[in-house]
Amino acid sequence: MILRFTLEPVDNTRLARVCGSLDAHLREIEAAFGVKITRRDAEFRVNGAKAAAERAQALLEGLYERARRPLSAETLQLALVEAKAPLDKPAPKPGEEGPLVLRTRRADLSARTPRQHQYLQQILSHDITFGLGPAGTGKTFLAVACAVDALERSTVQRIILTRPAVEAGERLGFLPGDLTQKVDPYLRPLYDALYDLLGFDRVTKAFEKGQLEVAPLAFMRGRTLNHAFVILDEAQNTTPEQMKMFLTRIGFGSRCVVTGDTSQIDLPRGVQSGLIDAEHVLAKVKGIAMTRFTSADVVRHPLVARIVEAYEARAKREAREA
């Protein structure tokens, strides 16, 4: 199918931003949708399968609207993810539930893929939610966003973020400082998400008021967490005993999100992952939801998705040969 259209009103500056240097943006769109794009000034021609060509046209028109300001590489990649998602799952029909609005510092924060939308819905409707999948799918960031939203709406009194302090090929003992200082680098991604969603000053004040707590998983033992939004990140590096300990900390008025990537386990050889164990044990437990992300949900650089797919393909080959 061949689609012909003109981006109007004609504006050479906006056209240059949409097309990119030497039409680099057009080449990325071609690769993403499997189409061929040619243009003469503001007149475009898209050649490819009907659905893909229509999505490519809609994306170009959407980017042209945004091009009143310079388009960053991140803006283009997120737009590509959003435009490709409906190819896997139809867009919501009129009258169906629309996009979720979370109260955070990021006004543009929203689900970019159908699975991300499902993930947000499950967090809001279940007391315990598991988010499993590869890096770059927004598991932790969206969970922190929901936690910030719950705090802003006063549905919880505090946010507790935790993760196991397991080394990825390095040793805690070689890091300087006391235990808190040693585990701080492991918790840095959680701090980054908080700063992005709340702002540095707001985060600092929230820590002072006791509304925010970031701690290694070992510090959770013996506690009961009431009226809190609790997030366990990097859960693939927990043992089954640690996972059971953590999940049984949840108290009244609390909500819990567990995130992890079972393809990046840093536990010693022979030690079972608590996340894999929980995925099987809790699969049919009422009140617990599980979202399984794939490489199609990666919202980082497109190369990340291809890297994830390459490792997944090798794992499948090894499984068949075993």
Side-chain angles (χ1 to χ4, degrees), residues 9 39 42 44-45 52 62 70 73 114 141 152 186 201 207 216 224 234 251 270 281 290-291 314:
R39 77 176 183 98
F44 286 75
R45 170 177 163 170
F141 190 80
E152 293 293 298
Y186 293 88
D201 292 338
F207 273 116
T224 300
E234 298 291 342
V281 173
M290 294 198 182
T291 300
R314 186 183 72 173

Side-chain angles (χ1 to χ4, degrees), residues 138-172:
K139 304 182 302 295
T140 302
F141 190 80
L142 290 176
V144 175
C146 287
V148 169
D149 176 76
L151 186 65
E152 293 293 298
R153 296 178 189 271
S154 299
T155 55
V156 298
Q157 296 175 358
R158 54 184 172 155
I159 298 173
I160 300 175
L161 309 176
T162 184
R163 64 190 298 181
V166 175
E167 308 91 341
E170 299 176 357
R171 300 297 176 197
L172 279 172

Side-chain angles (χ1 to χ4, degrees), residues 140 161-168 172 179 182-190 214-220 231-243 245-246 257-261 264-268 271-275:
T140 302
L161 309 176
T162 184
R163 64 190 298 181
V166 175
E167 308 91 341
L172 279 172
L179 178 60
K182 286 177 185 290
V183 300
D184 189 69
Y186 293 88
L187 305 174
R188 184 52 51 187
L190 300 176
V214 182
L217 181 60
F219 290 8
M220 295 294 107
I231 299 174
L232 171 58
D233 191 31
E234 298 291 342
Q236 75 274 7
N237 290 327
T238 63
T239 64
E241 293 76 18
Q242 288 175 324
M243 179 63 76
M245 177 274 292
F246 171 76
V257 180
V258 179
T259 68
D261 177 5
Q264 298 193 43
I265 298 173
D266 300 315
L267 293 168
V271 177
Q272 185 182 15
S273 168
L275 182 59

Side-chain angles (χ1 to χ4, degrees), residues 310-322:
Y311 276 99
E312 288 178 347
R314 186 183 72 173
K316 289 178 181 177
R317 287 197 304 270
E318 291 176 348
R320 286 195 301 267
E321 294 170 359

